[in-house]
Amino acid sequence: MLNIILFGPPGAGKGTQSQQLKEKYNLTYLSTGDILREEMAAETEIGKKVKDIISKGGLVSDEIVVSIIRGRVEANQKSAGFLFDGFPRTVRQAEMLDGIMNEFSLKINAVLSLEVPEEILINRMIERGKTSGRADDNIDSIKHRFVEYNEKTKPVLAYYEKQGNLKGIDGVGKVEDIFATLCNEIDKISKK
Ligand code: AMP
């Protein structure tokens, strides 16, 4: 099994790259952002609970996202692997993900971290907001998402660095070039 975390700040291109990666490697794609947006659209209990936090650019509680992930991992144990996008976003989530991986005798093979300077990201997200229809792609929420990222999500990098799983990837450039770099890393890992 090939279990990959695609890591990176908001707007780094995780969603775009994931679409191609999941196809190429036949992975079960788990984007907590997408799942939470589905919950909001379906107006489920979870959806109602997270709506305000998400629209303001805050982070949803660790318990909610971890229980979603646990359910999806449990339901897809026969998969060729998992591609996590936008999860984990706190050190606690990373620790709890290790717990889930242990529970199902799985492990994270690589954490690929897309690196893009913040100025580029903010412009990209303002552009995206013109067509995305996302309630959190407005300037105030975007700013708040970066505060959350810098305070709570960045420390996750050190967590995986310690585990020896972290690989930085230059996320500036053409989508297809970045995709090629990601595939190159994944192919190296899967040969190990
Ligand atoms: P994304 O689509 O990954 O940018 O996520 C959109 C929003 O969903 C984030 O700004 C958070 O409010 C929420 N969210 C997504 N994933 C997580 C997570 N792992 N932990 C907490 N909140 C999350």
Side-chain angles (χ1 to χ4, degrees), residues 32-33 36-37 54 58-60 65 86-87 89 93 134 145:
T32 40
L36 291 168
R37 279 186 288 277
I54 292 182
L59 288 188
V60 170
V65 289
F87 178 89
R89 257 183 164 92
Q93 288 178 21
R134 278 177 56 161
R145 283 156 77 190

Side-chain angles (χ1 to χ4, degrees), residues 129-143:
K130 292 177 184 163
T131 54
S132 71
R134 278 177 56 161
D136 59 351
D137 277 347
N138 62 76
I139 188 68
D140 289 340
S141 302
I142 290 170
K143 279 189 185 152

Side-chain angles (χ1 to χ4, degrees), residues 101-119:
M101 292 281 116
N102 281 335
E103 183 185 349
F104 295 105
S105 304
L106 303 172
K107 67 176 184 116
I108 298 296
N109 301 96
V111 180
L112 305 175
S113 170
L114 288 174
E115 296 167 350
V116 183
E118 198 163 305
E119 319 78 79

Side-chain angles (χ1 to χ4, degrees), residues 59-165:
L59 288 188
V60 170
S61 81
D62 293 334
E63 284 66 28
I64 291 180
V65 289
V66 168
S67 84
I68 289 174
I69 289 290
R70 192 192 167 282
R72 302 283 171 121
V73 171
E74 184 174 30
N76 291 283
Q77 288 175 64
K78 296 214 172 78
S79 154
F82 293 98
L83 175 61
F84 298 97
D85 165 2
F87 178 89
R89 257 183 164 92
T90 64
V91 171
R92 182 137 183 272
Q93 288 178 21
E95 289 166 353
M96 290 166 94
L97 177 60
D98 277 343
I100 295 170
M101 292 281 116
N102 281 335
E103 183 185 349
F104 295 105
S105 304
L106 303 172
K107 67 176 184 116
I108 298 296
N109 301 96
V111 180
L112 305 175
S113 170
L114 288 174
E115 296 167 350
V116 183
E118 198 163 305
E119 319 78 79
I120 296 184
L121 293 170
I122 293 183
N123 285 332
R124 264 193 206 172
M125 289 170 79
I126 292 170
E127 278 305 305
R128 182 173 84 181
K130 292 177 184 163
T131 54
S132 71
R134 278 177 56 161
D136 59 351
D137 277 347
N138 62 76
I139 188 68
D140 289 340
S141 302
I142 290 170
K143 279 189 185 152
H144 191 50
R145 283 156 77 190
F146 279 99
V147 172
E148 294 282 64
Y149 175 77
N150 287 318
E151 272 179 20
K152 298 176 186 164
T153 307
K154 249 191 193 165
V156 174
L157 287 170
Y159 180 88
Y160 288 116
E161 176 98 73
K162 249 186 242 159
Q163 290 191 353
N165 268 341

